[in-house]
Each structure stands twice: as structure tokens, then as C-alpha cells.
Amino acid sequence: MNVEQLLNHYGYLAIFIGSILEGETILTLAGFFVHKGYLLFVPSILCATAGGMIGDQVCFLLGRYYGTRLLQHFPKLDPLVEKTNRLLCKHSSIIIIGVRFMYGLRIAGPIAIGMSKVSFSRFLLLNALGALFWAIIIISFGYLFGQSAQWMFAQFHQYTKLFFAIILLVTVIVLSIYWYSKQRRNK
């Protein structure tokens, strides 16, 4: 099977599963493949939204029913849970929608929210909204990256000599500054 056949058969499933587990890398690649025409934009968004939502919903339920036991087994999560709780007190709706965009809180955030007093239905609604925003933004980024990469590689051939001349010039300048400062320190 070639890449196109694999993506036709398993692309949307890969987006869905990847969104449950991790997300950003998978969605950026999905956007790239949307740009290349191997996948469609709307189904990719829907699969990513569903996967991201399910992943966070599972973490929410883990926090709701097993939060204190999880913290005993994974004490490194404790500071992240505390940070999320502090933020929840001030801005719960924004936090629930944006937690997937906060580095280091992708898993701990929904667990901490599950341990809080936020209702299941409120989290479900705001989580769905956040997952949709996340999917659209990251897949669009991948799409734009694909467009930019295609343009850059097409233009790169024309500007190869200029590119290497600039690298050589920057290298000479950096080495000259380094050599000059070393000479001054030795005197």
C-alpha cells in the first residue's frame, strides 16, 4: 500500500485515535495531508474533535472517580492539579475550553477539573467547544504549513546559491567576532 491508500483507509481513524492520545502532531500532519488532497478538511475536523473530546472526557471521569488515588500514584501531577484548581476558581469556562492548549496540562487539566465541583454536563459542553476550536486551529496550521512548505521548496531551488552565500557570510561574521573577542580576552 502507498501513502494515499493508507490515508484513504485509515487516515480518519488515525486522526481520531491520535487525538485521544496526543493530538498536536497528528493534527498538524492531518492538515498537511488535507493540503495535499489525501484527506478532507471537515471530516478531519470532526474526527479530531471527537477524539480530543473523548480523551479529555475520560480524564475528567478519572479525576471525578479516581482523582485522589491517581495523585497518590503520580505525585508529579499534584502541582499541575493545584495550578489548574487555582485557575478554575477564577475562570472556569475559559479554562475548560482552553486547557488543551496549555502545555503540561493536557492530561492533568481534565483530571483536576474532574476533581473539582464542575458538573459533568458543563464540562461536556465546554469540552466539545474547546475540542472543536483546537481541531480547527491545529489542522488549519498543518494546512498552512503544507502550503508554505510547498512554496518554500519550489522557491528554494532558485535561491540555493544565495542561501548558501548568506550562511557562509553569517558563519564568517560569527567566527570573526568570536576570534576577535578571544584575542581581546587574552590581552
Side-chain angles (χ1 to χ4, degrees):
M1 284 188 143
N2 64 23
V3 172
E4 186 174 357
Q5 290 171 326
L6 280 171
L7 288 171
N8 284 335
H9 285 101
Y10 305 110
Y12 299 113
L13 179 63
I15 292 170
F16 176 75
I17 292 171
S19 297
I20 291 172
L21 302 174
E22 187 264 329
E24 284 77 11
T25 305
I26 298 296
L27 296 189
T28 302
L29 285 172
F32 177 77
F33 290 129
V34 166
H35 169 71
K36 297 301 269 178
Y38 295 132
L39 298 170
L40 298 173
F41 188 73
V42 172
S44 297
I45 295 290
L46 294 176
C47 289
T49 299
M53 196 175 126
I54 287 171
D56 283 1
Q57 216 56 51
V58 167
C59 289
F60 175 87
L61 291 171
L62 284 172
R64 178 64 37 107
Y65 296 107
Y66 303 105
T68 53
R69 283 189 245 163
L70 280 173
L71 286 178
Q72 290 170 353
H73 292 299
F74 300 102
K76 288 183 180 181
L77 290 178
D78 196 35
L80 296 174
V81 170
E82 289 300 320
K83 182 178 181 182
T84 305
N85 277 329
R86 282 193 308 273
L87 291 171
L88 269 173
C89 291
K90 296 178 184 176
H91 316 284
S92 66
S93 296
I94 293 170
I95 298 301
I96 293 169
I97 290 171
V99 74
R100 70 186 66 251
F101 295 100
M102 297 177 196
Y103 182 75
L105 295 178
R106 176 70 197 265
I107 293 172
I111 290 172
I113 296 167
M115 293 170 64
S116 74
K117 292 180 173 132
V118 172
S119 72
F120 179 83
S121 58
R122 178 177 169 81
F123 182 77
L124 180 67
L125 177 66
L126 293 171
N127 182 34
L129 190 59
L132 179 62
F133 289 156
W134 172 74
I136 290 170
I137 290 168
I138 304 298
I139 289 176
S140 296
F141 171 78
Y143 184 88
L144 292 174
F145 171 76
Q147 203 168 19
S148 299
Q150 185 174 346
W151 177 84
M152 189 174 78
F153 289 125
Q155 300 299 318
F156 181 75
H157 181 68
Q158 292 178 339
Y159 299 106
T160 307
K161 290 179 184 176
L162 177 63
F163 178 71
F164 286 115
I166 291 171
I167 289 176
L168 180 63
L169 180 64
V170 169
T171 304
V172 168
I173 290 170
V174 168
L175 289 175
S176 297
I177 291 170
Y178 172 76
W179 178 78
Y180 178 75
S181 64
K182 190 175 180 180
Q183 293 297 325
R184 284 193 69 176
R185 270 186 268 140
N186 288 339
K187 290 182 181 180

